[in-house]
Amino acid sequence: MHPDVQAVSADPVTLVVMGASGDLARTKIYPSLFSLYCQGLLPPDFSIYGFARSNFDASAFRASIAEKLTCRYAPAESCKDRITEFLARCFYVSGSYNASDSFLDLYAAIRAGSHESERVVFYMAIPPFLFSSVAHAIADAGLVRCGSHDTWPRVVIEKPFGRDRRTSDALSADLAQIFPESQTFRIDHYLGKEVVQNLMVIRFANAIFEPLWNSRFIEKIRISWKEDIGVGQRAGYFDNYGIIRDVIQSHLAQILALSAMERPVSDGARDVGDAKVALLQSIVPPSPEEVTIGQYSTGNVASGTAYRSEPGIAGNSRTATYARIKLRIENDRWRGVPFILSAGKGLNTRMSELRITFKPVAENIFCDQPPCLPGNELVARIQPDEALYLTITSKEPGLNLVLTQTDLNLKYQSMFKTTIPDAYDSLLLDVLQNDRSLFIRKDELDAAWDIFTPVLRDIDESGREPELYPLGWDPDAE
Ligand code: NDP
Ligand code: BG6
């Protein structure tokens, strides 16, 4: 969270990317490692071993990575050279995830390159059903070396961490046999997004917000997430999980925790984690009536594919692609304030935001019958076009007294004339620096599953049908 070039250790590091041929590896992990490399934030002696089943030779693999590398942090004139230098550190081993010989081949390749070290990061960029078996295969091949460190080797696991509290516990217990908690980094990449990282700073480094941050002044809080595309290539995964597990239990619950938690004792990982856990444990699991679920269909749109007609999705799938959940927090600060979390694919736009609606002025001298004006709103727009803005009522210039709603607007692009890092740049650097503040602790994961497991079970067991909505629907227009 606090990258400090001076603090980057010069000790050699080996990164092993499981599922190196996949979407996440190619579009996020390698480009972010390249960004860190260009900024001098990788140690001088680093190497990256990709592992997957696809049968690439070294040059084909490097070419497939190179397609997605961008020169965000390298001057255009030297970019080609930087890419060539970076690719020279990238190796590839093709093998099967369930063949021990393949992992021995990986070990042999690392040794042959003289990159054997205790300082290894294993990145699990593979489908979740492979996490456990691959972790065991890594250990069986001798790749996990017990050394003098209690924080090396490190494993990075992508969400989803299980399907509910029970499966999450089982996965954690199994992985803990190989990688203790101190070596496990559970990624929720929304925590690496710039505006999400700013939430704590806005709340706790400005005197004006915290006194108002409670049920006396706040009417409601909405956390909204929209995508204007369908499930794309991830149909098999998505149909097994649905939008509540995919986005709400993870990304939106984390944004909620950061925006509603009490002030942590410090900004250190343990204190922030404690504050988030306490908040998540105060949330009342929603009843089925507090949850709306939907699924995109073609509706009146001529182009586009209904969810049930997407390749890989059963024609009678009941998986929710949209959900809206009303949550209540049972503590002194928030009792009575609704927190409305909504997420959907196949909607009208791509955006995610936190919107805090304050109560209107109780005795407004500018209105005959108050409340005549809406309350202020503070919006943290996470994407696209990162911004923080506050709507306020002010007087329109002129001889008459006319009140109008305006924005105090902090637009990142115009205010901070700098490249906004990708979430994975920040998170991968944190893994290397052993900064755990943006990663999910086991007790945090438990608390998040405890909120959503009962309603997910109800939806699964009752066979509840999602309401169909047309592609391009705007839930906020209703
Ligand atoms: P992919 O579906 O692209 O899978 C990654 C690689 O795993 C593939 O290239 C493939 O490599 C191998 N693989 C895929 N399916 C199977 C299978 N059925 N059996 C064996 N191997 C298989 O996944 P992503 O890269 O999209 O995601 C990786 C992880 O990251 C997942 O846990 C996902 O939930 C998570 N994630 C992904 C995000 C994204 O933006 N893509 C965002 C957030 C989380 P090969 O066939 O060469 O072995
Ligand atoms: C992933 C979800 O975690 O986040 C996907 O599994 C979603 O369904 C993706 O598309 C969105 O990430 P971003 O960073 O593009 O908003």
Side-chain angles (χ1 to χ4, degrees):
M1 194 176 181
H2 313 290
D4 174 357
V5 181
Q6 304 306 319
V8 175
S9 166
D11 294 336
V13 164
T14 303
L15 296 116
V16 180
V17 181
M18 294 290 161
S21 58
D23 178 72
L24 182 76
R26 294 178 62 241
T27 61
K28 295 290 183 188
I29 302 172
Y30 282 99
S32 281
L33 289 170
F34 179 59
S35 292
L36 295 180
Y37 173 66
C38 292
Q39 295 174 85
L41 294 172
L42 292 183
D45 185 2
F46 76 93
S47 46
I48 310 172
Y49 286 82
F51 180 94
R53 298 173 305 180
S54 300
N55 198 12
F56 290 114
D57 63 22
S59 67
F61 179 68
R62 286 174 177 157
S64 88
I65 299 172
E67 275 173 25
K68 301 286 178 184
L69 301 184
T70 58
C71 291
R72 278 181 289 155
Y73 295 100
E77 58 281 10
S78 63
C79 185
K80 228 174 148 190
D81 292 343
R82 304 310 317 261
I83 289 180
T84 306
E85 291 157 21
F86 177 78
L87 291 177
R89 314 288 193 94
C90 297
F91 307 91
Y92 182 73
V93 175
S94 163
S96 163
Y97 299 107
N98 52 20
S100 51
D101 283 358
S102 299
F103 290 84
L104 292 172
D105 289 347
L106 175 63
Y107 190 14
I110 294 173
R111 291 186 84 170
S114 306
H115 297 130
E116 194 186 0
S117 149
E118 286 172 1
R119 295 167 55 86
V120 184
V121 177
F122 296 97
Y123 200 121
M124 300 288 200
I126 42 178
F129 74 89
L130 291 170
F131 289 166
S132 281
S133 56
V134 167
H136 284 280
I138 286 171
D140 292 346
L143 280 156
V144 178
R145 300 180 56 218
C146 300
S148 50
H149 294 282
D150 62 358
T151 66
W152 292 101
R154 295 177 188 162
V155 66
V156 183
I157 313 172
E158 279 283 347
K159 55 158 272 279
F161 316 112
R163 297 189 80 252
D164 52 21
R165 175 66 197 270
R166 185 183 59 77
T167 49
S168 165
D169 282 350
L171 175 64
S172 293
D174 195 42
L175 292 176
Q177 293 176 36
I178 317 288
F179 299 103
E181 186 71 10
S182 61
Q183 298 173 358
T184 302
F185 290 75
R186 295 181 193 86
I187 274 203
D188 181 316
H189 75 282
Y190 268 61
L191 289 176
K193 293 194 185 253
E194 196 57 54
V195 174
V196 177
Q197 291 195 50
N198 203 2
L199 291 176
M200 260 177 68
V201 178
I202 294 299
R203 283 190 61 192
F204 302 120
N206 295 287
I208 59 171
F209 294 121
E210 205 47 22
L212 307 180
W213 216 259
N214 55 59
S215 60
R216 192 168 157 219
F217 295 99
I218 291 181
E219 189 174 277
K220 62 182 171 197
I221 294 190
R222 283 170 286 173
I223 304 174
S224 312
W225 184 96
K226 293 181 181 181
E227 265 185 359
D228 54 3
I229 50 172
V231 284
Q233 303 301 310
R234 300 184 74 213
Y237 152 76
F238 188 87
D239 202 45
N240 192 22
Y241 285 86
I243 199 77
I244 298 178
R245 293 182 177 91
D246 186 39
V247 173
I248 297 183
Q249 184 272 347
S250 49
H251 306 323
L252 303 201
Q254 285 298 321
I255 296 168
L256 167 57
L258 287 172
S259 40
M261 68 186 183
E262 296 302 313
R263 186 175 59 204
V265 176
S266 76
D267 70 343
R270 183 187 300 178
D271 292 333
V272 174
D274 288 350
K276 283 162 72 185
V277 170
L279 186 280
L280 291 168
Q281 288 176 339
S282 312
I283 298 177
V284 183
S287 65
E289 296 71 42
E290 287 170 314
V291 177
T292 305
I293 54 172
Q295 187 188 77
Y296 63 82
S297 65
T298 46
N300 298 325
V301 183
S303 61
T305 309
Y307 181 73
R308 289 175 186 175
S309 305
E310 296 270 20
I313 304 290
N316 60 355
S317 170
R318 283 197 295 257
T319 301
T321 58
Y322 170 82
R324 181 180 184 278
I325 302 185
K326 187 172 155 193
L327 293 175
R328 289 168 290 128
I329 300 180
E330 271 308 314
N331 66 18
D332 288 348
R333 185 191 283 265
W334 294 119
R335 197 163 290 115
V337 179
F339 284 75
I340 297 153
L341 275 51
S342 65
K345 289 183 181 270
L347 298 181
N348 59 319
T349 187
R350 173 177 181 263
M351 73 92 176
S352 40
E353 70 175 25
L354 163 72
R355 184 173 287 263
I356 296 162
T357 307
F358 291 87
K359 292 181 177 170
V361 173
E363 293 178 21
N364 196 326
I365 58 169
F366 301 104
C367 313
D368 295 338
Q369 291 186 340
C372 65
L373 293 164
N376 302 98
E377 280 195 329
L378 177 65
V379 179
R381 191 166 60 226
I382 296 159
Q383 62 190 31
D385 193 13
E386 294 86 344
L388 284 166
Y389 61 91
L390 177 67
T391 60
I392 57 162
T393 302
S394 72
K395 178 187 171 299
E396 263 185 28
L399 299 179
N400 290 330
L401 178 64
V402 178
L403 303 190
T404 186
Q405 297 291 303
T406 53
D407 289 345
L408 295 178
N409 204 340
L410 169 62
K411 285 189 162 192
Y412 277 49
Q413 286 296 353
S414 45
M415 174 59 71
F416 307 112
K417 304 211 179 323
T418 181
T419 306
I420 295 178
D422 186 88
Y424 282 89
D425 299 4
S426 178
L427 295 170
L428 279 161
L429 183 61
D430 286 351
V431 171
L432 294 175
Q433 294 187 312
N434 199 29
D435 181 339
R436 311 178 65 80
S437 42
L438 298 180
F439 295 85
I440 316 278
R441 272 179 4 193
K442 170 73 172 73
D443 54 352
E444 225 177 297
L445 182 61
D446 295 350
W449 275 124
D450 286 345
I451 300 166
F452 297 101
T453 294
V455 81
L456 285 166
R457 188 182 307 134
D458 179 82
I459 291 170
D460 291 346
E461 290 175 2
S462 68
R464 184 169 158 186
E465 284 283 341
E467 284 178 41
L468 300 182
Y469 61 90
L471 272 168
W473 176 54
D474 178 4
D476 299 326
E478 314 238 310

